[in-house]
Amino acid sequence: MSELEKQYREKTRTSASLFEKSKKLHVNGVSHNIRFFEPYPFVTKSARGKFLIDVDSNQYVDFWMGHWSLILGHAAKQVLAKVRAQISDGWMHGVVNKNTIELSEMISKAVPVAQKIRYASTGTEATMYAVRLARAVTGKKVIAKIDGGWHGYTTDLLKNVNWPFNEPESIGLVDEEHIISLPYNDLEKSLEILQSAKKELAGIIVEPVLGGGGCIPATKEYLSGLQEYAKKVNALFILDEIVTGFRFRYGCLYDTMNLKPDIVTLGKIVGGGFPVGVICGTDEVMNYANTMTHSKTKRAYIGGGTFSANPMTMKAGKATLDALKNGKSIYSKLDGLGEKTRKQLAKALLGNAVVTGKGSLFMTHFTKENMEIKNAADAARCNSKMLQRFHFEMIVKDGVFFLPGKLGAFSNAHSDSDVKTLVRSAERFAQDM
Ligand SMILES: Cc1ncc(COP(=O)(O)O)c(C=O)c1O
């Protein structure tokens, strides 16, 4: 056992015994595969501002921030006050509640494609419904996604997510032949692959910044090229902005790139840290889901579900968007922190790493300093074990938390001092490498 692991085990004794219990109760001890890390994840008891606090009362500066959903930080006061008030007005109405209309008004003003909106409880559902709509509208079956593109656990998109891309992600999947996958930021190759499915192509789904696949921004030319092809063959162009929506600006990223998607999916930030998935689309597309005007043979059935548009999520989402809209300097502060981190981390790691990202999202890739990381295959060639070690060392020595191996996000609760801490940790790590 390494000295570092010994220190971790000493610091997190209560977590260790609780996690043993968790393993008896839950598969792998977790309820989302990525939440497990070796030797065991610490177990939290609370979260405030930029901190996670574990059951042994260790405090961690959190860069995972609730799967990047908490742009204002944990338990942000603007959200807390509204959510507290909502609890006394009932947390689950199960009918149309006014909070939904208030949040949707904000989203539809900020996201031009959102002529109609449907809420679900997760991003996974939102992308699943987006795909179904694309198939319903076009009467075709094939969906193109991106190598390394993660859109949740929906069966429809669970292909070519993790390296090696040519192996199935899971058993138990059906209809995989109806998903094709494209190399990000390589328009020529992508068009070649699309050409093979031309007649059957129902839609293309892509993230404007590849999140789980390596925190890599798409070039404008790449996204425009995919959009152009989709329009040419009467397929839908779907942008998954579940991570990027309201992350870099008040609205979506696509709006700054002159794109005209047919559907945009949102999640995370727009639920203020409460469960959410959102399907936004043009009237024309979303009308296919209209069960009042479309009979069973003409309609696309999209959810919903029991907890969709629940009053808590709607309230927290609106409080978050209010804070982002009124807090004029939030985005420039977050972008500044991200920008500094990307530059200074790479420098501190002495040519052993490239730091990718955009705005407040960043990810360290251990590789040669001049390596260009333009897609998930490039990212997969980097030393992910080294990144996990770097992150684990920060958990133990610095009280800084990244989900080991994943990208980090700044929230409004972070400040310049957190950049300094990261840089100091990186300098120490580079010296010991
Ligand atoms: C781009 C993207 N789409 C969809 C999802 C799935 O969202 P959820 O985890 O809420 O189901 C995620 C989750 O991280 C995501 O990053």
Side-chain angles (χ1 to χ4, degrees), residues 11 162 215 231 275 280 350 366 395:
K11 269 177 80 161
N162 298 296
C215 201
K231 309 261 172 206
C280 306
L350 303 175
F366 283 91
I395 291 173

Side-chain angles (χ1 to χ4, degrees), residues 42-43 63 126 153 177 180 260 301 356 429:
F42 59 79
V43 176
F63 284 95
Y153 281 101
E177 74 273 20
I180 56 174
K260 274 203 170 309
Y301 220 9
T356 58
F429 191 76

Side-chain angles (χ1 to χ4, degrees), residues 32 68 122-124 127 150-152 207 240 242-243 268 276:
H32 195 327
W68 326 303
T122 63
T124 299
T127 57
W150 171 248
H151 305 283
E207 299 161 80
D240 182 351
I242 284 171
V243 173
K268 302 197 192 262
V276 76

Side-chain angles (χ1 to χ4, degrees), residues 124-135 141-145 149 151-161 172-180 203 205:
T124 299
E125 291 166 85
T127 57
M128 177 181 78
Y129 293 133
V131 163
R132 190 177 299 168
L133 268 173
R135 288 176 171 152
K141 284 198 176 144
V142 173
I143 296 292
K145 69 178 288 289
H151 305 283
Y153 281 101
T154 167
T155 299
D156 288 327
L157 294 166
L158 212 46
K159 191 169 175 179
N160 290 40
V161 176
L173 299 173
V174 287
D175 287 346
E176 276 180 278
E177 74 273 20
H178 293 131
I179 318 171
I180 56 174
I205 183 164

Side-chain angles (χ1 to χ4, degrees), residues 314-330:
M314 299 295 101
K315 204 58 161 191
K318 179 171 185 298
T320 302
L321 296 198
D322 274 334
L324 292 172
K325 192 170 183 191
N326 301 328
K328 297 261 179 279
S329 59
I330 293 181

Side-chain angles (χ1 to χ4, degrees), residues 280-300:
C280 306
T282 58
D283 272 325
E284 191 192 342
V285 167
M286 297 295 277
N287 257 337
Y288 278 80
N290 190 338
T291 50
M292 311 282 268
T293 53
H294 287 58
S295 65
K296 209 169 178 177
T297 52
K298 300 259 168 57
R299 74 179 182 217

Side-chain angles (χ1 to χ4, degrees), residues 9-21:
R9 287 180 183 276
E10 252 158 53
K11 269 177 80 161
T12 58
R13 284 165 190 264
T14 320
S15 279
S17 73
L18 268 180
F19 194 70
E20 276 309 305
K21 215 185 241 184

Side-chain angles (χ1 to χ4, degrees), residues 340-354:
K340 261 187 232 160
T341 302
R342 276 186 293 280
K343 276 200 195 120
Q344 295 181 16
L345 264 191
K347 195 165 154 217
L349 289 165
L350 303 175
N352 292 297
V354 169

